[in-house]
Amino acid sequence: TWLQIMILPICYNWVIIIFRFFYFTGFLEQGILVRDLSLLKKRYMRSSRFKWDIASLLPTDILYLKLGIHTPLVRVNRFLRTGRMNEALDRMETRTSYPNTFRVAKLMLYIFVLIHWNACVYFSLSNYIGFGADPWVYPNISDPDFAATRRQYFYCFWFSTLILTTVGDTPPPEREEEYLFLVADMLIAVLVFASVVGSMGDVISSLRDRDNVFFPNHELVKGYLRSRRINKELQKRVNDWYQHLHINKWITRETEILQHLPITLQTAIAVSVHLPTLSKVTIFQNCENSLLEQLVLKLTPQVYSPGEYVCKKGDVGHEMYIIKEGKLAVVADDGVTQFAVLGEGNFFGEISILNIKGNKSGNRRTANICSIGYSDLFSLSKEDLTETLLEYPAAKRLLEEKGRQILTKIGMLEETDEGEGEVEKTEDKVKRLEASLEALQTKLARLIAELESSARKMMQRVEQLELQTEGWEGIVAEGAQGEIEEREKVKEREIGDGDGDGEKEDEEEPVVEGERGEGDGGEESLGEKEKNVGGNEKSEKEKEETGEEQTKTETQDQKRDEM
């Protein structure tokens, strides 16, 4: 038996040693497998696992030479590699396609190992107490029925299972050692039972959540139908639809299932699942792959029941349909006569979503199409196609050309409408340009009128300022002339009369200052200036001489030029 068990590690060495010699291992860094030996050594030696691995590989087997081969505890350091097994199992759980099944298998493995250890301890305890000493221990091995090693192991394994699972009756213990062993087993059994129940509960909950994501909740719909007292016939149709979904494992909530993935992976999955179906549509053949990939994300799955109409003659077409699975019939208005049967891979309604000019049907359905049995379809709406084609003008022209060819082939295209449509488009552009030109001309006229108005107001203001400053300039000139004359008189007096004349000059000086104040009207407000100018205008004009009037006129002309 031991030789048979040793076959497994021998086969492992046959496969792994030669494999590791020619193929390099590595570690994952940000999802990339690193195989550089120097980096491998540095990472491994700095990790916490390195010390445990070294301890587990110590050659403790040498102690067999002194203690004998019946002391296997010298290899107990090998248990330090248990963390490696847990790491491997965790990684396998993330890679397997059936994680719930793997969790159950892993749990059963742990339970089997625990029962195995407990069975070995039970046999050792029976040997310590004495085989057959009481009903609780293992029977006497002198009995031929219990002498075989296989029988000894199976009996101990069965007895250990009864104790840990508490599902069967065991002989009552009689010795202290037996009581202690049972107490320890009972405590372990409680923990094992709780672990098993909790793990199985998690697995069952995960399975239920998966079903709820894949399929809608039937019980809620049933309760709603009962509360609203829906007739039996309609309830039967709903129940049949749910039954069909579960039997065929159809998924109706793909968007919710894949929403946690990055958009790139969602696109890749959608392309892998739906692109072959979309490529079968005539108008989409030879289109850019990027366009098809975007349209794939717009496809919406729909399921139709037996006898249900997908579209009726005369309806306005808002989407096209691609048959993924099932059969649909093109029927007459009576709903019985069948003209054709459409199967997997067929499509219809593609012309109605292109808005082709000259289409005699006017984007309306030209036939009645109903589902024979349960049919799984994909629909593509006109809005999604139009939005996607905005980024692909060349593909849009190609699709419209293919649509016109199809309409021409079936005699549903008015050829004259195409030229008229182009003329109408040109006329619309010309009208748009004319309207824009008229708006610009209106704005320009408005700006010119505002500019002229501003210029007129400016000229009027300048004229008012000139009229207001005419008298003010004369007063300033007269005051300045009087001041000059007085200064000359003062100088003459100083020269001719001496100090006495100087005192008289000082007495008359305030009069000069007063005259200067009347002339310096620039420091007063504008209203005061107008009053002073208006009141003294006549008297000042009479006193002005011809030379002064000429000087004033030249000054005014010069100011106008500066303005």
Side-chain angles (χ1 to χ4, degrees):
T1 302
W2 179 247
L3 290 176
Q4 292 174 357
I5 295 174
M6 288 300 298
I7 291 175
L8 296 177
I10 292 172
C11 293
Y12 170 83
N13 290 326
W14 280 356
V15 175
I16 298 301
I17 291 177
I18 189 66
F19 178 84
R20 292 186 61 186
F21 182 78
F22 290 103
Y23 295 92
F24 295 101
T25 59
F27 65 94
L28 293 176
E29 185 176 14
Q30 298 180 353
I32 300 175
L33 183 63
V34 179
R35 295 182 176 179
D36 187 276
L37 291 179
S38 60
L39 294 178
L40 276 170
K41 294 176 182 178
K42 185 183 297 184
R43 177 184 174 88
Y44 179 59
M45 295 180 68
R46 290 181 178 178
S47 65
S48 59
R49 296 189 299 268
F50 175 71
K51 297 178 181 179
W52 296 104
D53 289 346
I54 291 296
S56 66
L57 292 176
L58 292 176
T60 55
D61 305 67
I62 300 176
L63 297 176
Y64 279 135
L65 300 176
K66 182 178 182 180
L67 302 177
I69 61 173
H70 296 292
T71 54
L73 288 179
V74 298
R75 294 174 53 87
V76 72
N77 61 326
R78 302 298 190 271
F79 290 154
L80 297 176
R81 301 184 67 89
T82 304
R84 288 292 193 177
M85 185 188 72
N86 294 330
E87 181 182 357
L89 293 177
D90 291 339
R91 292 191 180 186
M92 291 173 63
E93 183 176 338
T94 61
R95 300 295 295 272
T96 180
S97 300
Y98 303 96
N100 291 320
T101 304
F102 184 83
R103 293 190 191 104
V104 174
K106 183 173 67 173
L107 178 63
M108 297 304 297
L109 173 64
Y110 289 156
I111 294 175
F112 173 82
V113 172
L114 180 61
I115 295 175
H116 169 77
W117 276 56
N118 195 67
C120 294
V121 174
Y122 168 75
F123 185 81
S124 177
L125 182 61
S126 299
N127 185 25
Y128 172 77
I129 296 173
F131 295 117
D134 55 52
W136 188 84
V137 297
Y138 185 79
N140 196 334
I141 58 175
S142 59
D143 188 349
D145 294 337
F146 299 96
T149 304
R150 183 180 302 176
R151 179 65 179 272
Q152 293 174 4
Y153 178 76
F154 286 158
Y155 181 91
C156 293
F157 193 89
W158 167 80
F159 193 84
S160 177
T161 304
L162 292 181
I163 296 175
L164 293 178
T165 58
T166 65
V167 295
D169 294 332
T170 59
E174 297 181 0
R175 297 173 179 267
E176 294 178 356
E177 296 85 351
E178 297 172 358
Y179 280 109
L180 293 176
F181 180 82
L182 280 179
V183 169
D185 274 9
M186 290 296 180
L187 295 176
I188 294 174
V190 171
L191 297 177
V192 171
F193 183 76
S195 176
V196 171
V197 172
S199 299
M200 294 303 296
D202 292 340
V203 171
I204 294 173
S205 299
S206 179
L207 292 173
R208 186 183 297 110
D209 293 340
R210 184 201 64 181
D211 291 338
N212 290 338
V213 171
F214 274 62
F215 311 105
N217 194 335
H218 191 191
E219 299 300 327
L220 293 177
V221 179
K222 280 184 175 182
Y224 175 81
L225 297 178
R226 287 194 301 268
S227 63
R228 294 298 181 179
R229 298 181 180 179
I230 304 300
N231 60 76
K232 297 295 183 182
E233 181 180 356
L234 184 55
Q235 289 190 29
K236 183 178 183 303
R237 290 178 57 190
V238 173
N239 293 333
D240 291 344
W241 183 74
Y242 274 105
Q243 182 180 8
H244 178 75
L245 287 182
H246 283 276
I247 290 176
N248 294 276
K249 302 300 180 183
W250 278 2
I251 301 173
T252 60
R253 304 167 69 179
E254 295 184 6
T255 305
E256 297 181 16
I257 296 171
L258 303 177
Q259 65 180 351
H260 299 293
L261 295 177
I263 187 63
T264 53
L265 291 181
Q266 292 185 30
T267 304
I269 293 174
V271 169
S272 177
V273 174
H274 306 312
L275 187 59
T277 303
L278 186 64
S279 301
K280 296 178 182 178
V281 182
T282 304
I283 61 174
F284 295 133
Q285 293 177 353
N286 301 324
C287 287
E288 301 178 40
N289 289 332
S290 57
L291 172 62
L292 297 180
E293 290 177 0
Q294 291 197 26
L295 291 178
V296 159
L297 298 176
K298 308 290 186 180
L299 294 179
T300 304
Q302 296 184 6
V303 179
Y304 289 89
S305 304
E308 185 177 359
Y309 279 89
V310 179
C311 61
K312 291 186 177 181
K313 187 176 181 180
D315 294 343
V316 178
H318 295 289
E319 59 274 320
M320 67 166 295
Y321 297 93
I322 305 172
I323 304 175
K324 180 182 179 182
E325 188 176 346
K327 293 183 179 180
L328 291 88
V330 182
V331 298
D333 295 337
D334 58 5
V336 178
T337 306
Q338 295 184 0
F339 298 117
V341 176
L342 305 177
E344 180 180 350
N346 293 125
F347 53 90
F348 57 92
E350 70 278 9
I351 302 301
S352 62
I353 65 174
L354 291 176
N355 288 330
I356 299 176
K357 298 292 184 181
N359 188 355
K360 294 181 180 180
S361 61
N363 293 334
R364 292 185 177 272
R365 305 296 188 188
T366 58
N368 301 313
I369 299 180
C370 69
S371 178
I372 297 176
Y374 284 99
S375 301
D376 188 10
L377 309 179
F378 287 113
S379 67
L380 177 63
S381 67
K382 181 188 297 184
E383 291 77 10
D384 290 338
L385 179 62
T386 304
E387 180 183 355
T388 306
L389 289 179
L390 291 176
E391 303 176 1
Y392 300 90
K396 181 179 181 181
R397 291 192 295 270
L398 178 62
L399 293 178
E400 290 178 350
E401 181 61 28
K402 288 183 178 181
R404 280 192 289 270
Q405 292 176 2
I406 295 174
L407 289 175
T408 302
K409 185 176 180 180
I410 61 178
M412 294 295 293
L413 180 66
E414 296 179 2
E415 297 293 341
T416 57
D417 288 347
E418 183 178 357
E420 294 178 359
E422 293 179 356
V423 172
E424 289 178 359
K425 289 181 179 179
T426 305
E427 292 179 354
D428 292 340
K429 292 180 180 179
V430 172
K431 289 180 180 179
R432 238 183 356 261
L433 292 175
E434 290 177 351
S436 301
L437 182 60
E438 290 178 0
L440 292 175
Q441 289 176 348
T442 303
K443 291 181 179 179
L444 180 61
R446 232 179 249 168
L447 291 174
I448 293 174
E450 291 178 358
L451 181 60
E452 292 177 352
S453 176
S454 300
R456 284 197 301 271
K457 290 179 180 179
M458 183 63 71
M459 292 300 296
Q460 292 176 0
R461 183 63 177 165
V462 170
E463 291 176 358
Q464 290 178 1
L465 291 173
E466 289 176 353
L467 292 174
Q468 292 173 1
T469 57
E470 283 179 358
W472 176 64
E473 290 176 353
I475 294 171
V476 172
E478 183 178 356
Q481 186 67 27
E483 184 179 358
I484 294 171
E485 292 176 355
E486 290 295 333
R487 287 180 179 176
E488 290 178 354
K489 290 178 181 181
V490 170
K491 289 180 180 180
E492 291 177 357
R493 289 172 186 172
E494 289 177 351
I495 295 170
D497 298 337
D499 296 337
D501 293 336
E503 292 177 0
K504 186 181 277 187
E505 180 188 359
D506 294 335
E507 292 176 358
E508 293 178 358
E509 191 172 358
V511 178
V512 176
E513 291 178 356
E515 291 176 356
R516 188 186 303 171
E518 291 178 354
D520 297 336
E523 297 177 358
E524 297 174 359
S525 64
L526 185 59
E528 293 174 354
K529 291 177 185 176
E530 294 176 353
K531 291 179 182 180
N532 295 335
V533 173
N536 300 326
E537 184 176 0
K538 293 181 180 180
S539 61
E540 295 298 336
K541 284 183 179 180
E542 292 176 356
K543 296 179 180 179
E544 291 175 352
E545 296 178 357
T546 306
E548 293 176 354
E549 289 178 356
Q550 185 175 0
T551 303
K552 180 187 70 175
T553 305
E554 292 175 357
T555 304
Q556 290 176 355
D557 294 338
Q558 185 179 0
K559 290 187 67 176
R560 284 196 186 95
D561 295 337
E562 292 175 356
M563 293 295 292

